[in-house]
Amino acid sequence: MLEAIKYNNRKLEVLDQLKLPHSCTYQGVTNVTQTWEVIRSMKVRGAPAIANVAVLGVAVELNEKDFNSKEQLYEVVKEQLEYLQTSRPTAINLRNAANRIISLLSVQLQDNKLSVNDMKESDFSFRIIKEAEDIFRECKMKNLAIGEHGASHIINHLSTGSQATILTHCNTGSLATAGYGTALGVIRSLHLRGMLAHVYCTETRPYNQGARLTAFELMHDKIPSTLICDSMVAALMKSKEVSAVVVGADRVVANGDTANKIGTYQIAVCAKYHKIPFYVALPVSTVDLSLRDGGAIPIEERPSVEMTYIQGVPLAPTDMNCWNPAFDVTPAELITGGIITERGVFKVQELEKKISTDKEDGIWY
Amino acid sequence: MLEAIKYNNRKLEVLDQLKLPHSCTYQGVTNVTQTWEVIRSMKVRGAPAIANVAVLGVAVELNEKDFNSKEQLYEVVKEQLEYLQTSRPTAINLRNAANRIISLLSVQLQDNKLSVNDMKESDFSFRIIKEAEDIFRECKMKNLAIGEHGASHIINHLSTGSQATILTHCNTGSLATAGYGTALGVIRSLHLRGMLAHVYCTETRPYNQGARLTAFELMHDKIPSTLICDSMVAALMKSKEVSAVVVGADRVVANGDTANKIGTYQIAVCAKYHKIPFYVALPVSTVDLSLRDGGAIPIEERPSVEMTYIQGVPLAPTDMNCWNPAFDVTPAELITGGIITERGVFKVQELEKKISTDKEDGIWY
């Protein structure tokens, strides 16, 4: 399996996904400024992956620094995490991961038994680094659980004796996460159980994550698959047997409305029209209960040049006016299959209750 | 206005649309073999344009030839027209234009008053050339009528005081037809009447006719417009005010089911979900009453390389399996605005009756 993020002995490297599928090049990341840059430029992308890279970026910079007080540590790390959250606005995982680190910092700060003199021994920095590493390790385990829950749910809804044909969008695999993948994790689990007939993946214009990354991962792992253009989804649903659509998510809010890669909403509309179940697969850290509905999710708009050029080749008149939202919001009513998480598959209506029950102290990454 | 086809004094040139928007290069076409090639390679495309180029290609070759008998003329031209119909299978306009020529040839053949000795004087070849030229000239006039009828219908359904915002797909302008355009003709008419707020055009993957051609035409003619990706249609309909969708057609069958560029069906599904009227604009020569429903329309599938490469740049793993249908079928129930023709705007249910009433001798191109 491909790795988007390599982290060993407090050394961080990210796969430069802009160069895929032409070359597999890893770039070392040694500080927070570089971390912001690799996220912003989309060398690393995918809601879970950018959260992992962000906290690991803080960890590798912390590893090289000394602090005079726990207050100083708190201020520096908090500022770094706030800065990293400005890299891309739509995904919530980064904020949730940041909040988990900040919460630990606060606990340390408020613990009067820990004084400046304890600094050297207790090594507050080490605890933060350890927490970032835990986030990364847990992310991999959650992906496995998402894959297993999703595969079981889909298999239970297949007619007897048939295998699943899945349509997915964008990239939600090992390149988008810390490991197995979310939607692509579900596909991997189906494949490993011998229950996958075929996968269709969309190109995912304008950044072509499907064509460049998902196609690359599927071929790499020898999963039977076919690439289609984003415009072919309805035709595919009409002319081939599609068992289910499974996509990832950048933010799911309290009522189940889901922000994900531009084009997701359209696929959900088509799935509804063709009566095909539509699933969203995500770690619980993608859920944002602070927003009631999808209208409040900030949607990043990216530059025209991403549409008018591809790898330096002009595709359109270069001064053509473009609208380039990076995400859209799929209303809960269209998520007919369910929400696949590491804790199980929920109906959208159940999501808030299930998550709230489990949530402790506002931190559940 | 741009011209896809230049025809003067029995000289034919076509604009090589594969080179747009980077360069405007015309290629001379002097025989039927070259005509087949420019259609097949998509240097010229668009259902009405390829019909025009086909009959004009026959005309320019005829102009250089002598025939010994009307039987020989009949056989040669019929064979040429049958050959040209193998260039691309989905659009019906070419067949209808060919049938109009063949019908005239048959009339000549069966007219016993015309003998071989009359050949030099009556100049049968000239009549065929003239018929091809008539098809070309009439196509331009029909485009104007389509534009006017469509614009009036859309304006009548706008709320008072508002202008229309139109979404279109693929290229249906002067580059796809012999002149003003079909769907783009409607947009031009709205613009000329001061009733157009804005046009959104889709990229139209994988051949990018929207990005390369429609965007180019809209900018060339200073029509206010924005390019979107094919995946952004539903998001656009939700977040902007779209008054109507207007697209062209490659073949409309008796029940109103419509084959058009891949992605059209998906846009129609989205329009239905968002309660936006969906129109198809076409000359009556695009109608094929010989087929009852859209399931019988042959759908051209094109090579994977059109998806995996763009202008020589690889977009995906080069050996990735692709599904690349060039067209899809929009069921009549989704054509909620109506069918815009040179004879007026019809409801899909009215189409067959209206066309049959007018039709004479099986030829109505």
Side-chain angles (χ1 to χ4, degrees), chain A residues 203 205 265 273-274 333, chain B residues 203 205 265 273-274 321 333:
Chain A
E203 278 194 321
R205 289 282 300 147
Y265 172 40
Y273 184 76
H274 293 90
E333 66 167 31
Chain B
E203 277 193 320
R205 288 284 298 145
Y265 172 40
Y273 184 78
H274 293 90
N321 187 28
E333 65 166 35

Side-chain angles (χ1 to χ4, degrees), chain A residues 81-96:
Chain A
L81 289 167
E82 280 165 2
Y83 170 62
L84 286 169
Q85 287 175 66
T86 67
S87 58
R88 297 198 64 197
T90 302
I92 193 68
N93 310 55
L94 171 50
R95 191 173 85 196
N96 283 335

Side-chain angles (χ1 to χ4, degrees), chain B residues 2-297:
Chain B
L2 295 158
E3 282 180 294
I5 305 167
K6 285 190 181 172
Y7 180 83
N8 288 300
N9 301 319
R10 302 196 182 166
K11 300 286 176 217
L12 174 62
E13 289 181 305
V14 300
L15 180 59
D16 182 351
Q17 299 190 29
L18 298 179
K19 294 187 176 150
L20 285 177
H22 315 300
S23 89
C24 262
T25 311
Y26 283 85
Q27 173 180 335
V29 174
T30 59
N31 59 48
V32 167
T33 308
Q34 286 176 5
T35 306
W36 191 93
E37 190 279 327
V38 295
I39 297 172
R40 180 68 196 170
S41 64
M42 294 172 69
K43 286 176 182 168
V44 63
R45 25 63 53 204
I50 64 180
N52 281 290
V53 167
V55 296
L56 292 173
V58 170
V60 292
E61 183 165 327
L62 270 190
N63 191 46
E64 301 296 329
K65 274 196 177 158
D66 286 316
F67 293 93
N68 296 323
S69 69
K70 55 188 185 181
E71 287 76 12
Q72 191 198 13
L73 175 69
Y74 178 88
E75 289 304 326
V76 167
V77 174
K78 190 160 176 284
E79 192 179 315
Q80 288 176 337
L81 289 166
E82 279 165 5
Y83 170 61
L84 287 168
Q85 286 175 66
T86 66
S87 59
R88 296 196 67 196
T90 302
I92 192 67
N93 310 56
L94 170 51
R95 192 174 83 194
N96 283 335
N99 284 348
R100 177 164 154 181
I101 302 282
I102 291 167
S103 172
L104 178 63
L105 285 165
S106 300
V107 170
Q108 291 188 357
L109 190 66
Q110 285 154 24
D111 185 348
N112 291 327
K113 284 179 284 183
L114 295 173
S115 70
V116 179
N117 295 334
D118 293 325
M119 279 290 291
K120 296 288 177 289
E121 283 166 34
S122 63
D123 198 353
F124 299 156
S125 294
F126 176 75
R127 291 193 198 176
I128 301 304
I129 292 169
K130 177 77 174 28
E131 193 76 6
E133 291 169 347
D134 284 351
I135 287 173
F136 183 53
R137 199 185 61 250
E138 288 166 20
C139 183
K140 295 182 185 182
M141 291 164 53
K142 287 173 191 170
N143 280 194
L144 287 169
I146 290 167
E148 289 298 297
H149 288 307
S152 297
H153 198 273
I154 290 169
I155 290 166
N156 288 342
H157 290 78
L158 288 175
S159 44
T160 317
S162 66
Q163 290 178 309
T165 293
I166 305 293
L167 169 65
T168 191
H169 185 55
C170 199
N171 178 259
T172 59
S174 55
L175 295 171
T177 65
Y180 201 57
T182 53
L184 210 49
V186 174
I187 289 166
R188 276 189 227 281
S189 291
L190 285 166
H191 182 58
L192 290 173
R193 296 191 201 179
M195 292 301 287
L196 182 75
H198 208 80
V199 183
Y200 290 93
C201 65
T202 57
E203 277 193 320
T204 320
R205 288 284 298 145
Y207 233 66
N208 303 337
Q209 290 94 336
R212 287 190 298 118
L213 309 179
T214 305
F216 186 63
E217 280 198 49
L218 290 167
M219 287 192 74
H220 185 272
D221 295 343
K222 299 188 171 39
I223 297 174
S225 51
T226 298
L227 178 66
I228 63 167
C229 293
D230 299 291
S231 57
M232 296 169 187
V233 166
L236 180 85
M237 289 174 171
K238 193 170 195 174
S239 57
K240 316 272 180 189
E241 286 288 329
V242 177
S243 319
V245 179
V246 189
V247 298
D250 288 79
R251 191 182 313 202
V252 180
V253 298
N255 74 345
D257 289 355
T258 296
N260 190 44
K261 181 52 53 195
I262 184 70
T264 303
Y265 172 40
Q266 186 158 320
I267 298 173
V269 170
C270 292
K272 178 91 170 183
Y273 184 78
H274 293 90
K275 299 185 175 60
I276 294 168
F278 185 92
Y279 291 89
V280 181
L282 48 124
V284 170
S285 55
T286 308
V287 179
D288 179 6
L289 295 185
S290 75
L291 300 183
R292 288 305 317 157
D293 67 60
I297 303 173

Side-chain angles (χ1 to χ4, degrees), chain A residues 51 195 312:
Chain A
M195 292 302 288

